[in-house]
Amino acid sequence: MTTWITICDTCKRDGWDLTGAAQTDGEALAALIEDAARDVPDVRTRRVACLMGCKAGCNVAVQAHGKLSYTIGNFEPMAEAADGIVTYAALHAGSKNGQVPYRDWPQAIKGHFVTRHPPLPDAASDSDAA
């Protein structure tokens, strides 16, 4: 099953406006993640304009249908962070429910988790939620 890395490409870390950079920190991290994920089976990437986690930018979401989803953030746009995110996404893709044991987490993502979301119910159980 495919795991998606959804990358906020509008994220700007504190002091970004002082650097004179031609791209946002989110755009820089997105390019690194896209490059790192290029040949990774069952992992795809997409960019979005905002994940609304501005205080913890740079942010990404790791998501797959029927699995737990995670928002992870406060990354610097560096290759080490991108590699850790992609490695975690590959482990997420290989897991049954989206949970990856802590011992398997790449060091680069430890301490970066912001939220965890349960999977959405399938259409058959929508009426049970009322």
Side-chain angles (χ1 to χ4, degrees):
M1 177 181 297
T2 299
T3 287
W4 285 88
I5 304 171
T6 302
I7 311 153
C8 176
D9 65 4
T10 56
C11 279
K12 298 174 186 122
R13 295 176 50 82
D14 286 343
W16 173 83
D17 55 341
L18 302 176
T19 67
Q23 61 182 353
T24 65
D25 293 322
E27 288 172 317
L29 183 61
L32 291 166
I33 292 170
E34 290 162 349
D35 187 51
R38 191 168 322 283
D39 296 319
V40 178
D42 300 323
V43 173
R44 300 208 35 213
T45 64
R46 65 182 180 153
R47 294 183 186 204
V48 296
C50 186
L51 288 176
M52 295 184 75
C54 301
K55 290 187 180 196
C58 295
N59 294 287
V60 301
V62 177
Q63 306 163 289
H65 180 72
K67 294 185 178 185
L68 292 166
S69 298
Y70 298 88
T71 304
I72 49 181
N74 201 24
F75 290 104
E76 292 184 39
M78 299 172 54
E80 179 183 358
D83 291 342
I85 292 165
V86 171
T87 298
Y88 181 80
L91 293 167
H92 183 273
S95 72
K96 181 180 177 182
N97 64 359
Q99 267 188 313
V100 176
Y102 180 79
R103 68 180 173 275
D104 296 335
W105 293 6
Q107 187 62 41
I109 66 154
K110 290 181 178 178
H112 290 269
F113 282 77
V114 178
T115 61
R116 178 173 82 171
H117 303 271
L120 291 171
D122 61 28
S125 60
D126 282 350
S127 61
D128 296 338

